[in-house]
């Protein structure tokens, strides 16, 4: 899942994401809650309509950002008080309010509100954190069951039609091309889904202790979610330990439900995790690295800022068939980056996403072949 924090994969328009074969995007509840705000998106019929993205979306619970972006957070049994990184204003997330925010945003898959245990953590601290996450999972699920029909999809068809009409009115009339280019016509149709509801996934915590992970998995499964995530990893621990804990957790999660590893990884790692049985992953790495000129290719990582590429007429990756590699040379990409052109970020991100998606297509093909 490419990461589209603020309802946007930075620098890449939705039609190109579709062309790349992106099937699902991740949005961050914490960021969207602060800006533009949940009520704003709800009034615009939910994230799909708002960002003109008819394919799937997953939102995180906001917990991870609250813990990673806020030094002044206060955690109680009830929830977390935190300050906005935008203006310092005080806010409160509980399992109920974080679930309400995710229902209002209207993604397809939403996450239970959890506490991401820091690394390193003492054994007593890891257990207390895991127990809190379990109590919060129960509260998230209870709130979800009572409010799941409030998802803005139920009114989607009415509001989406209104939006399309609005777009058509404001565009200059007749001529075929003008009509095709009008905002109303360009808006991706979002199917009406009245009666359907979102899927709420549970999150396994337990720090770096395999026994706690097993207990967390078993007790989260007992709450009965349609999918399970492994949280609390990629928080600064060595990669060998990440893998160890993933393996120790996976064996206790049902094989017939999606198993989602949050916040990984490099192209090599996502292949490894898929091999272990992980079905879903999200990571800012392909997009963030692209904006810093770090590109993943079939021949290894390339730092496009290096002077050695200044006269290089080759495509970025001769084995990549993306629109960037088909059209531009390394020399041009290096020039764009060195000149701080906006296009550098766009093209680099398109290639890196393409490389990641190709990697996962390869994984699925291999699985298909047994
Ligand atoms: Zn490419």
């Amino acid at each position: 899942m490419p990461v589209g924090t603020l309802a946007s994969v930075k620098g890449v328009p939705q039609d190109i994401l579709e062309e790349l074969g992106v099937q699902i995007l991740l949005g961050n509840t914490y960021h969207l809650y602060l800006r533009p705000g949940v009520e704003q998106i709800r009034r615009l019929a939910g994230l799909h309509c708002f960002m003109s993205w008819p394919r799937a979306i997953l939102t995180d619970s906001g917990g991870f950002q609250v813990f990673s972006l806020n030094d002044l957070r206060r955690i109680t049994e009830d929830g977390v008080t935190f300050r906005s990184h935008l203006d310092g204003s005080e806010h409160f997330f509980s399992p109920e309010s974080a679930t309400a925010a995710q229902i209002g945003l209207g993604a397809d898959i939403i996450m239970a509100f959890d506490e991401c245990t820091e690394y390193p953590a003492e054994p007593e601290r890891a257990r207390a954190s895991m127990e809190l996450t379990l109590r919060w999972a129960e509260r998230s699920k209870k709130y979800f069951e009572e409010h799941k029909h409030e998802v803005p999809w139920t009114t989607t068809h009415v509001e989406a039609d209104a939006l399309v009409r609005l777009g058509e009115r404001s565009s200059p009339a007749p001529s075929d091309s003008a009509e095709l280019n009008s905002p109303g016509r360009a808006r991706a149709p979002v199917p009406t889904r009245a009666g359907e509801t979102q899927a709420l996934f549970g999150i396994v915590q337990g720090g770096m202790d395999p026994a706690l992970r097993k207990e967390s998995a078993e007790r989260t499964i007992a709450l009965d979610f349609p999918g399970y995530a492994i949280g609390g990893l990629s928080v600064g621990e060595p990669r060998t330990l990440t893998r160890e804990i993933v393996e120790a957790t996976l064996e206790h999660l049902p094989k017939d439900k999606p198993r989602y590893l949050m916040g990984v990884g490099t192209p090599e790692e996502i292949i490894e995790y898929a091999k272990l049985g992980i079905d879903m992953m999200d990571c800012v790495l392909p997009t963030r690295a692209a904006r810093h000129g770090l590109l993943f290719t079939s021949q290894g990582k390339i730092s496009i800022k290096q002077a050695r590429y200044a006269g290089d007429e080759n495509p970025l990756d001769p084995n990549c068939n993306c629109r960037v590699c088909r059209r531009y040379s390394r020399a041009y990409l290096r020039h764009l980056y060195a000149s701080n052109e906006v296009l550098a970020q766009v093209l680099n991100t398109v290639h890196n996403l393409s490389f990641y998606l190709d990697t996962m297509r390869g994984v699925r093909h291999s699985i298909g072949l047994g």
Side-chain angles (χ1 to χ4, degrees), residues 296 316-317 320-326 350-352 354-355:
F296 298 97
L316 176 57
D317 182 351
C320 179
N321 195 36
C322 83
R323 56 159 69 208
V324 178
C325 293
R326 284 201 313 266
V350 167
H351 166 79
N352 268 1
S354 178
F355 187 79

Side-chain angles (χ1 to χ4, degrees), residues 17-89:
L17 296 173
E18 285 175 353
E19 177 193 291
L20 289 169
V22 175
Q23 296 296 328
I24 177 167
L25 285 178
L26 181 139
N28 290 119
T29 298
Y30 167 85
H31 288 93
L32 293 166
Y33 159 86
L34 291 177
R35 190 171 56 190
V38 174
E39 274 319 301
Q40 181 75 277
I41 292 176
R42 177 199 285 280
R43 275 198 298 274
L44 295 168
L47 267 179
H48 293 89
C49 278
F50 177 56
M51 65 181 289
S52 187
W53 178 253
R55 297 183 185 175
I57 302 173
L58 178 149
T59 49
D60 63 1
S61 71
F64 184 76
Q65 264 82 26
V66 167
F67 294 106
S68 60
L69 293 176
N70 289 272
D71 296 330
L72 295 170
R73 62 182 185 268
R74 277 198 319 276
I75 305 169
T76 63
E77 181 66 31
D78 203 27
V80 187
T81 305
F82 61 96
R83 288 190 181 280
S84 160
H85 71 287
L86 297 175
D87 60 9
S89 57

Side-chain angles (χ1 to χ4, degrees), residues 6 28 68 70 89 100 112 128 130 138-139 145 147 158 166 173 181 205 224 247-248 271 273 298-300 318 368:
L6 278 162
N28 290 119
S68 60
N70 289 272
S89 57
M130 180 206 81
E138 204 171 346
R139 282 166 57 189
E145 292 301 331
H147 297 267
V158 179
L166 199 66
N181 290 328
Q205 290 286 349
D224 190 22
E247 277 190 278
I271 292 172
Y273 293 131
S298 59
Q299 297 160 335

